[in-house]
Every structure is written in C-alpha cells, then in structure tokens.
Amino acid sequence: MESIIAELKQELVVTCKMYENRCQELEEKARESKAHLVEKTKEVEFLLADSKKKIKELEENSKLKFKNWENKGLKLKVLADAADNYHKVLAENQRLYNEVQELKGNIRVYCRIRPFLPGQNQKSTTIDYIGESGELLIVNPSKQGKDGHRMFKFNKVFDQAASQAEIFSDIQPLIRSVLDGYNVCIFAYGQTGSGKTYTMSGPITASMEDWGVNYRALNDLFGISENRRNSFFYEVGVQMVEIYNEQVRDLLVDDGPQKRYPLCMSSTQPNGLAVPDASVHPVKSTSDVLQLMHVGQTNRAVGSTALNERSSRSHSILTVHVRGVDLKTGSTSRGCLHLIDLAGSERVERSEATGDRLKEAQHINKSLSALGDVIFALAQKNTHVPYRNSKLTQVLQSSLGGQAKTLMFVQINPDVESYSETISTLKFAERVSGVELGAARSNKDGRDVKDLLEQVAFLKDTVARKDEEIEQLQMVIDLRTRSPMLNNDRNAMLIHSSSPGIPCLVGTARLGPQLSSARLVISTDKAPSEPDNSFQFSENHCMANGGDKDQKLQADAYLVGFRDVDLEDKLSEISDSVISVGTETDGSVSSSTEFGVFPESSKPVQMSKGKM
Ligand code: ADP
Ligand code: MG
C-alpha cells in the first residue's frame, strides 16, 4: 500500500513536472505569438498609414490633373475658335501682304551686272559705283575727267557677286502673289550676252544652286501650295511660247519645229489664257517643269550673229497658270506668272546684220520699243495703253497693268566695249522705272544721294567744258565775222534739219551758251496727234532718213565750226536730256536704229539743265 502511495506520489510529481513544463512551453509560445502579433500590428499600422498617405497624394494628384485638363480644355477651345477664324485671318493676311507689294510699286526695275567672263580684262569696267539704294554710276572710259560719268537709279542694283539665290529672294514675294490670284510679269532685258538667260533659267547644266528665276519660282509655288494644302487646292499648268519675227509659236510641242505655227491670241478667254491654242501642260513637281523646259529650250529659235553665235533672236515666254480652290468656301482664284527672256536689245549695226538678220533685228526693236511704251504708259497711268503695237505686248496684255505686278531685270555687261549698249539699256530701264507715279515713289528715297553724286560728277566736268565752249564760241564768232551770210543759212538749216524722231535745236546759233546756261529747249517735229505707232515712226526715220539727216547735221556743224567730236558731244548731251523724257541714244549719231527703241515725246519738252 505504501509502495503504491509512493509510486502514485512519484507519478504525481512527474506529472506535475510535465504539467509545469507544458505550462512553461505554452507561456513561451504565447509570449512569442504576442510579440509576433505586436510586430504584425505595427506593420499593418504602418501600411495603413502609408496607404492613407498615398490616397491623399493620389487625391491631390487627381485634383491637379483635373485642373490641368480644365486648362487644356480651355486651350483646345481657343484653338478650335482660332481654326474657325483661320480663313478670315488668312484672307486678311493675303490682302495686307499684297497691299505691301503694291506699296513697293507695281512696276519695279532691278539692274544686274554680269561678272566678267574668263579672259575678259577685269580692269576696264564701266561700273564706277553701286549704291545701297539702287544707284548706279557709269563711267565712260573714253571721256575721263570730262562728261565721263552718268548716274542711274533703280529699285535695286545687284553687283557681279550677287548669287542666283539673292536675286530670287528679292522677287519671291511676287511669286506668292500669284497664288493669291494676281498676275505677275518678270522680264530680263539687255544686250545679247548680258546674262538674261542666266538670270531667268541659269546655266545649261545648272545645279540647284545655279537655278535661275524660272525653276526657283516654280519650286516655290509647289512649296507654298504644299504648305497650304489643308486650306487650298492648287492646279498648276505651264505654257511656253516664243515670239519670233512677230509670230507666236508654241515651244512645248514635242514633235519638232514643223508643228510650230503662228498662234492666235485672245484677251477674252474665261480661263485667262492669252494664247489659247498653245498647249498647256499640267505640272505637279519641279522635275516635271525641268523636263518641259528642256523641250522648250530645244525648240527655241536661235540665230547666229557676229556678236554672239548663240544669240537668241526671239522672246521666250514661260507662263505659269495657277488655279486655286478654297477648300472651305469653294471659291476659286486664278493667277498667272509670266517669265520672259527677251531677245537681245543690241542695235543692229553692232551685230553686222543684213537680210534675214536685219529683219529679225527690226522685229525685236519694234517689240522692245512697244514694251517700253506700254510700261511707260502704265507707269504714267495714261488712259490709253498701246498694247496692240506688238505681239509681245498683246500676249502679255492681261498681265501688264491693273492689279498686275511687273518686274524687269536689266542686264548689264561691265566691260568697256559694251559702254554704249550699256548706256542704251540703262536709259530704256530708266524710262520705264524713273517715271513711276504714286506709291512706288516712296521707294526712291535715295534721290538726294543720286542728285548729290550727279552734281559732283557734273561739277567735275564743268570746268573742262567751259573752256571748250569758250573756244568753240570763239570759232563761231570768227566764222560769223568772216561770212555773215553763210552763218544765217547754217542756222536755218540746222533748225530745219530735224527729221521725225530727232530733236531739233531751237536757236542753234546759241547752242554753246544754251548748253551751259540754265534752260535748254528741245522739241521734236512729231505731230502731237500721232497715234501709238511710235516705233513705226522712229523706224521710218532710222531706215529711210536717218543716215542722210545725220550727214547733213554733221556737214552743217562742220560749217558752223564744230568738229565731229564736238558735235557728238553736244548731240550726246542733248540726247541725254531727251532720253529721260522719252528717247534714247548713247550719243553716237551714226547709230541707225537706236532712236527707234524709244518714241519721242509728242510735245516740246523743256529741260532744266541746271538741275542735272
Ligand atoms: P544672254 O541670255 O543675255 O544672251 P547669257 O545668259 O547667255 O546672256 O550669258 C552670257 C554668258 O555669261 C553665259 O556664258 C553665262 O553663263 C554667263 N553669265 C551671265 N551671267 C552670269 C552670272 N551672273 N554669273 C556667271 N556667269 C554669268
Ligand atoms: Mg539668252
């Protein structure tokens, strides 16, 4: 029994021990769990705080974004409104832009001086000074220190170094006008070899850098029409005709010269085509144009003269027709760009032409003269403009005058051999540019500089001239004292010797003093009622009477005591004055056609010599 009790006690102790151990284990576990739970709670609390923070951030973010969207929405609305007004703004822009062009003058004359060619003597040049505002001072190499200088003024003068890109940048705005429905004529005028073709087309194997006005203009048209493609649709078509011996021919027929025929003209075509029978070729890219021009240039009539074998004896007219459709309103506009490489303006003797060549030269002279008359009449805002006097002016009629813009490149050779042609060319240009009325005047603010420079040149010459005049007067007085009868007859002959087209001197016996004193009275014997055939008039004089009269003048002059050279000086001086009111010569009285380039003013004109 006792052993059982002892055994039970033992067992109880063991069980107690086990129980205690178990309790300890459980307590341990409970502690661990609690610690773990505390840890977890902390973690969760941290996560909760973090989440709360993120929610707050997100809330703020979304508020910000919402605000941004609100702003963007506003901007979008502004844009939408602007898009609505775009057409109105564009139209206004085009209107203002063209007004600016008009303020610059609808007739502009730019002079470009060709660089010396390889082998030319660069030292002997006729170019003395080129001003920033279009002044050009020409020096006569054979009259150093005397009447050796003459000043001209144009809208701009480009010197020998001017690049093709520079030339184009100045006319680029005019090209834009064509897309806005305006008509534009760009001419190159000058003697053969002065760079007309170079300016208009560029050299034959031209890289893009050397491209002339033609290619650049078309390239530009395609560029601008591409930029406006969302608002406008443009169609571009090209015609190329030449005027040779007063006949208009299509240059873009590909089966040779046989198919070239004289074409009729129309000024009433609704599509604006002045030569409706000439083929119109749609073009979409500059490479299309390059191909067409190659055909045109191959077909162009060229003749051979002593002056330049490749001299072009025809006017070539590249016409670019542009039709624009406003995609929003559906309205259409038509603009026309004429790019004209004129035939050489040199006078007939210089190229020693006879027969067919003489006929070509007469036709060229007639049409250039008519062109000068038309631009002159337009610049003077005459009610009658003599378009009908040549095919050239007929073809271009709708694009000369009115809202149309005209730009003439006057090309000059810098070498001394070309002096008289240079003067002749510049006088033509001066006539068409110098008289422009209205807005274009504001473009000529360099006038004072011109006047001053001219006065300087004039004063330099005056001393030498005075001496000579005294000497000449002395000779006339001597002659008078020796033979009074002869003297009277000579005066009469000189007064009556003026033929159509040659200015007559009033009171020739007082020629010397009049030239040096304040006023010089010049008149022509052309009837005031003479119609627009002024060239015909001049040509008749040149071909039929010119030689005789000139000889008579020289003979008369010899009798009153002027040497040939003196007479030439005097006539040159007189002609120079007359030129600025409508006739031209370089002072060489033996030139037979030079008077034909400009018609004389129909009224006697008084010039103030002192103002020179
Ligand atoms: P035109 O057409 O007036 O008869 P061209 O354009 O044929 O004259 O020019 C005569 C020559 O002078 C050509 O060999 C031409 O390449 C060159 N020439 C003309 N102008 C320039 C210029 N600005 N720069 C370089 N060469 C020129
Ligand atoms: Mg040429």
Side-chain angles (χ1 to χ4, degrees):
M1 185 68 179
E2 266 188 11
S3 65
I4 292 171
I5 289 171
E7 217 174 280
L8 281 170
K9 270 188 181 174
Q10 186 76 25
E11 221 171 272
L12 189 67
V13 169
V14 170
T15 309
C16 273
K17 198 106 182 155
M18 271 173 63
Y19 178 74
E20 270 173 21
N21 283 347
R22 184 74 188 144
C23 275
Q24 265 178 359
E25 260 174 41
L26 282 174
E27 269 173 19
E28 187 65 26
K29 270 193 182 169
R31 262 199 307 274
E32 273 176 18
S33 291
K34 194 180 169 191
H36 183 70
L37 277 174
V38 169
E39 192 79 359
K40 272 276 173 201
T41 312
K42 272 188 186 163
E43 254 177 49
V44 169
E45 274 175 358
F46 178 77
L47 281 176
L48 186 68
D50 196 47
S51 295
K52 277 186 182 166
K53 204 175 142 200
K54 277 189 180 154
I55 286 170
K56 215 172 175 185
E57 275 175 12
L58 279 172
E59 270 177 4
E60 273 169 16
N61 229 341
S62 61
K63 267 187 203 161
L64 215 74
K65 281 200 171 144
F66 185 71
K67 261 195 180 161
N68 271 349
W69 277 113
E70 264 186 351
N71 283 347
K72 278 193 180 140
L74 258 168
K75 279 184 191 159
L76 273 174
K77 197 170 174 303
V78 172
L79 273 179
D81 290 348
D84 262 0
N85 283 331
Y86 177 68
H87 268 80
K88 274 187 228 155
V89 174
L90 193 69
E92 180 66 2
N93 183 22
Q94 284 173 358
R95 192 183 62 77
L96 290 173
Y97 176 84
N98 285 298
E99 265 176 25
V100 169
Q101 293 305 305
E102 260 153 47
L103 283 174
K104 279 188 163 188
N106 275 347
I107 299 173
R108 277 183 249 175
V109 177
Y110 289 173
C111 179
R112 183 180 194 183
I113 297 149
R114 196 205 64 193
F116 281 100
L117 298 178
Q120 281 190 314
N121 178 6
Q122 309 223 358
K123 281 187 190 135
S124 17
T125 175
T126 55
I127 313 297
D128 200 43
Y129 167 77
I130 297 172
E132 295 268 300
S133 321
E135 298 87 1
L136 176 63
L137 189 63
I138 298 290
V139 60
N140 180 350
S142 64
K143 286 190 181 174
Q144 293 294 339
K146 212 168 147 272
D147 273 330
H149 288 82
R150 197 182 154 120
M151 178 66 98
F152 295 88
K153 170 96 170 69
F154 303 107
N155 292 91
K156 191 152 190 165
V157 178
F158 292 96
D159 65 14
Q160 284 100 321
S163 68
Q164 298 283 70
E166 273 171 64
I167 298 280
F168 185 70
S169 70
D170 255 88
I171 58 169
Q172 204 165 16
L174 288 182
I175 308 299
R176 211 174 121 177
S177 305
V178 177
L179 290 175
D180 297 338
Y182 288 85
N183 290 349
V184 174
C185 281
I186 301 178
F187 295 93
Y189 178 98
Q191 72 177 110
T192 297
S194 58
K196 296 182 296 298
T197 305
Y198 189 93
T199 293
M200 297 311 285
S201 309
I204 297 167
T205 50
S207 60
M208 267 180 86
E209 200 176 282
D210 289 334
W211 271 2
V213 169
N214 293 353
Y215 302 117
R216 285 171 192 269
L218 278 149
N219 211 26
D220 219 47
L221 282 185
F222 293 128
I224 303 170
S225 62
E226 176 63 18
N227 285 345
R228 292 186 184 175
R229 70 183 180 283
N230 292 330
S231 316
F232 290 92
F233 169 73
Y234 289 107
E235 275 176 322
V236 183
V238 167
Q239 276 183 316
M240 198 173 177
V241 298
E242 72 168 356
I243 301 175
Y244 177 71
N245 282 353
E246 285 300 89
Q247 289 191 329
V248 186
R249 300 165 182 221
D250 190 350
L251 284 180
L252 292 185
V253 283
D254 37 19
D255 40 359
Q258 295 91 321
K259 269 206 90 180
R260 286 187 283 152
Y261 45 89
L263 298 173
C264 302
M265 270 158 298
S266 160
S267 54
T268 53
Q269 290 283 314
N271 56 7
L273 298 184
V275 193
D277 292 338
S279 48
V280 184
H281 299 255
V283 282
K284 292 219 163 359
S285 66
T286 313
S287 63
D288 290 351
V289 177
L290 286 169
Q291 265 179 341
L292 278 178
M293 286 193 194
H294 182 71
V295 176
Q297 262 152 21
T298 319
N299 283 340
R300 193 173 175 194
V302 288
S304 159
T305 68
L307 192 74
N308 180 338
E309 280 200 12
R310 287 167 41 241
S311 109
S312 292
R313 316 304 304 155
S314 63
H315 312 297
S316 101
I317 306 176
L318 171 71
T319 304
V320 184
H321 301 274
V322 180
R323 195 177 78 96
V325 182
D326 186 324
L327 294 177
K328 191 167 183 189
T329 64
S331 63
T332 58
S333 65
R334 281 177 196 283
C336 217
L337 171 65
H338 296 284
L339 298 156
I340 304 130
D341 188 351
L342 291 168
S345 61
E346 59 274 5
R347 290 154 301 174
V348 69
E349 308 84 354
R350 179 120 186 237
S351 47
E352 297 160 11
T354 53
D356 284 350
R357 293 292 169 265
L358 181 67
K359 194 173 147 207
E360 283 175 353
Q362 285 170 332
H363 282 302
I364 292 165
N365 190 30
K366 174 178 174 177
S367 53
L368 292 179
S369 171
L371 178 66
D373 292 345
V374 163
I375 301 180
F376 184 76
L378 288 171
Q380 285 206 311
K381 307 226 181 326
N382 288 353
T383 44
H384 177 66
V385 181
Y387 290 110
R388 302 210 61 78
N389 286 355
S390 78
K391 285 285 189 296
L392 178 66
T393 45
Q394 280 174 52
V395 170
L396 300 174
Q397 177 161 357
S398 64
S399 299
L400 286 169
Q403 289 283 298
K405 299 163 205 302
T406 301
L407 190 142
M408 186 170 282
F409 277 106
V410 176
Q411 298 283 148
I412 294 298
N413 281 3
D415 52 289
V416 292
E417 290 78 27
S418 302
Y419 173 76
S420 77
E421 285 300 342
T422 297
I423 290 291
S424 184
T425 298
L426 291 173
K427 282 174 179 170
F428 176 92
E430 188 176 55
R431 178 173 180 246
V432 296
S433 79
V435 290
E436 191 174 355
L437 305 172
R441 276 229 171 119
S442 60
N443 225 16
K444 306 210 169 227
D445 31 358
R447 192 97 219 160
D448 292 347
V449 183
K450 176 184 164 158
D451 286 349
L452 282 175
L453 279 163
E454 271 192 347
Q455 271 176 31
V456 170
F458 176 68
L459 287 172
K460 267 200 320 198
D461 295 341
T462 303
V463 177
R465 205 184 319 138
K466 288 276 179 205
D467 287 347
E468 252 182 51
E469 280 170 7
I470 290 167
E471 200 182 305
Q472 285 163 4
L473 277 172
Q474 194 56 55
M475 287 165 86
V476 175
I477 290 163
D478 287 353
L479 201 70
R480 270 191 189 167
T481 353
R482 268 187 274 134
S483 171
M485 282 302 288
L486 181 67
N487 174 53
N488 286 339
D489 286 352
R490 288 310 126 207
N491 289 342
M493 275 183 77
L494 258 177
I495 291 163
H496 295 300
S497 68
S498 58
S499 59
I502 290 191
C504 89
L505 305 174
V506 179
T508 315
R510 298 192 307 276
L511 180 60
Q514 272 198 313
L515 283 173
S516 60
S517 65
R519 293 186 88 76
L520 174 66
V521 182
I522 298 168
S523 71
T524 72
D525 57 353
K526 181 179 168 182
S529 59
E530 203 85 50
D532 288 316
N533 55 350
S534 41
F535 167 76
Q536 220 69 32
F537 176 86
S538 311
E539 187 183 48
N540 289 344
H541 147 65
C542 297
M543 297 305 165
N545 308 328
D548 288 346
K549 302 284 174 172
D550 292 338
Q551 276 170 12
K552 208 169 178 185
L553 270 171
Q554 287 193 359
D556 291 345
Y558 183 74
L559 283 167
V560 292
F562 291 145
R563 301 182 308 272
D564 273 7
V565 62
D566 298 325
L567 175 70
E568 202 172 339
D569 283 348
K570 296 301 168 201
L571 286 177
S572 165
E573 211 169 332
I574 294 155
S575 309
D576 281 359
S577 309
V578 178
I579 281 307
S580 49
V581 293
T583 193
E584 69 98 39
T585 172
D586 64 343
S588 153
V589 284
S590 62
S591 163
S592 69
T593 54
E594 62 189 3
F595 286 103
V597 180
F598 301 104
E600 286 72 22
S601 166
S602 56
K603 291 179 199 142
V605 181
Q606 291 205 330
M607 299 283 300
S608 171
K609 189 73 185 169
K611 267 193 177 172
M612 203 176 121

